[in-house]
Amino acid sequence: MKLLFTRSDADPNLYFKVEKDKPLILVLYVDDLFLIGDDPLIHQCNRELVSEFEMKDLGLMHYFLGLEV
C-alpha cells in the first residue's frame, strides 16, 4: 500500500501530502497517529490505514502530551 506522504525534513515523525489543493498531515508519536486536514481526506486515509494495519479510531483528539487541545 502506498499512501504517498512526504516525510518532513524538520521532523521525522511528521508526514504530509496535498490532494486537490487540500493538505493532509499525519503525525506519529510512539503508538499514536494523528491526522489533520479536510474531513473527507482524513476518512479516506483512515480507511486505507485500517485495511492494512490493526488500528482503533479514538475520535477527535482532546489531549496531547497532557495538554488540552
Side-chain angles (χ1 to χ4, degrees):
M1 173 179 67
K2 292 262 186 196
L3 293 175
L4 303 176
F5 278 87
T6 301
R7 181 182 251 179
S8 166
D9 292 331
D11 186 336
N13 298 314
L14 186 138
Y15 297 81
F16 63 92
K17 69 177 175 176
V18 178
E19 285 190 20
K20 299 177 186 168
D21 293 327
K22 296 186 184 214
L24 182 62
I25 299 168
L26 185 147
V27 179
L28 298 172
Y29 182 75
V30 186
D31 61 350
D32 291 323
L33 177 144
F34 307 112
L35 288 169
I36 302 127
D38 194 47
D39 275 348
L41 289 177
I42 290 173
H43 293 300
Q44 175 189 346
C45 184
N46 195 34
R47 281 191 302 272
E48 292 174 14
L49 288 168
V50 166
S51 72
E52 191 73 22
F53 304 102
E54 185 177 329
M55 296 175 43
K56 255 193 250 185
D57 186 351
L58 299 177
L60 294 175
M61 179 173 40
H62 297 284
Y63 288 91
F64 179 65
L65 298 176
L67 301 172
E68 187 173 5
V69 178

